[in-house]
Amino acid sequence: MKLIRYGEPGRERPGLVDADGALRDLSAHVEDLSGAALDPAALARLGTLDATSLPLVEGTPRLGPCVAGTGKFVCIGLNFSDHAAEAGAAVPSEPIVFMKANSAIVGPNDDLRIPRGAEKVDWEVELGVVIGRTAKYVDKADALDYVAGYCVAHDVSERAFQIERQGQWTKGKSCDTFGPVGPWLVTTDEVGDPGDLGMWLKVNGETMQKGSSKTMVFGVAELISYLSQFMSLHPGDIISTGTPPGVGMGMKPPRYLKAGDVVELGIDGLGAQRQAVKADL
């Protein structure tokens, strides 16, 4: 299934995309795409519904983040071997883990706001993994059983905040609007192998990133198992698994986003995002 949340910020309703690409309302069957509704068994029950019997949503409403109730937005750095090479960094021996504030989460087509004082706002298309049930001390062999589904995640980064200021990466990753997720939460049965998905990103129509999750250093199952040794993962938590090469920081000379730019990005089978870049209010 391709599950969505639509409507104004803070008032989104759950829905799904039917076989013809039409938007259907799911609110008679689930309150929101959060908590227990994300359990793989609960999602399987939703999958038995006749999509054509669900109310049709008219028009083209705003799409919200494809999952609600995210407690943790966990990101993995330098997790693509070819991206590590462009950054001039060694391939890590263990996952590099940092957190992105969940207040950064927005819908897939919401405006991307350049924060005050920003100098180096960069793009990163990433595979998002949405946890469906609580995972603690999980074995790698069982890790994918804890996944609700997958989505496109845009790990927007302010490199000066991230690298040139004191402290850790979090403040360069957590500005408002720096975490678009969606358009869809695609259930695991429809995705297949998360380690074999094409990924792309364009700025003003020019392709900047074109890669594949094949080059991830640590795959989805390994990441879930690894993280669950240090923290419980809860339904709605998002793991952003790293980016392929082609980020602005790696260009010669570096290139960064500015007001007026348009960013488009997507992953095979998971849909696409589009953000207009604007100065913060």
Side-chain angles (χ1 to χ4, degrees):
M1 289 182 294
K2 295 181 175 70
L3 299 168
I4 62 164
R5 299 174 67 250
Y6 68 96
E8 293 305 307
R11 297 193 305 226
E12 292 94 345
R13 296 164 65 93
L16 62 77
V17 178
D18 68 20
D20 296 321
L23 175 55
R24 302 280 179 167
D25 183 75
L26 265 178
S27 54
H29 299 274
V30 63
E31 184 174 346
D32 206 346
L33 298 177
S34 63
L38 296 171
D39 187 283
L43 294 176
R45 287 192 292 273
L46 285 180
T48 65
L49 296 173
D50 176 9
T52 61
S53 69
L54 299 172
L56 191 64
V57 178
E58 301 293 342
T60 54
R62 168 191 173 267
L63 297 183
C66 61
V67 61
T70 297
K72 294 189 291 297
F73 199 157
V74 187
C75 299
I76 309 299
L78 298 175
N79 194 36
F80 281 62
S81 56
D82 38 8
H83 173 52
E86 78 167 345
V91 173
S93 58
E94 289 189 49
I96 296 173
V97 179
F98 62 93
M99 307 296 282
K100 196 176 188 85
N102 57 14
S103 56
I105 297 173
V106 290
N109 304 317
D110 290 343
D111 292 342
L112 194 168
R113 295 282 178 175
I114 295 180
R116 295 177 185 177
E119 303 171 354
K120 300 177 180 180
V121 177
D122 206 347
W123 54 82
E124 295 187 30
V125 59
E126 305 206 0
L127 171 65
V129 180
V130 177
I131 298 298
R133 59 190 181 97
T134 300
K136 185 175 183 178
Y137 301 132
V138 171
D139 290 334
K140 179 180 175 182
D142 302 321
L144 296 185
D145 295 340
Y146 293 82
V147 177
Y150 303 93
C151 65
V152 180
H154 190 183
D155 177 20
V156 186
S157 308
E158 209 298 340
R159 302 300 189 188
F161 293 178
Q162 176 191 356
I163 299 169
E164 299 170 23
R165 305 281 291 271
Q166 292 292 317
Q168 299 179 341
W169 289 3
T170 301
K171 63 181 175 290
K173 298 284 190 169
S174 296
C175 304
D176 293 351
T177 76
F178 273 25
V181 291
W184 313 318
L185 170 61
V186 184
T187 51
T188 58
D189 58 302
E190 193 163 325
V191 173
D193 181 6
D196 189 14
L197 300 174
M199 309 166 68
W200 58 272
L201 182 144
K202 299 179 181 181
V203 177
N204 301 328
E206 180 182 354
T207 297
M208 300 297 178
Q209 291 185 276
K210 188 173 179 62
S212 170
S213 58
K214 280 183 178 180
T215 66
M216 286 198 297
V217 179
F218 306 103
V220 171
E222 189 169 3
L223 290 173
I224 293 170
S225 176
Y226 181 84
L227 292 169
S228 76
Q229 310 306 310
F230 304 103
M231 65 188 86
S232 293
L233 301 172
H234 296 130
D237 286 352
I238 300 170
I239 304 170
S240 201
T241 57
T243 196
V247 300
M249 180 176 64
M251 295 182 173
K252 294 181 176 50
R255 174 174 170 181
Y256 298 109
L257 295 172
K258 61 185 185 301
D261 287 342
V262 174
V263 185
E264 299 167 281
L265 59 149
I267 298 177
D268 290 351
L270 303 184
Q273 302 182 357
R274 182 184 187 278
Q275 292 116 32
V277 181
K278 299 182 179 180
D280 204 1
L281 300 176

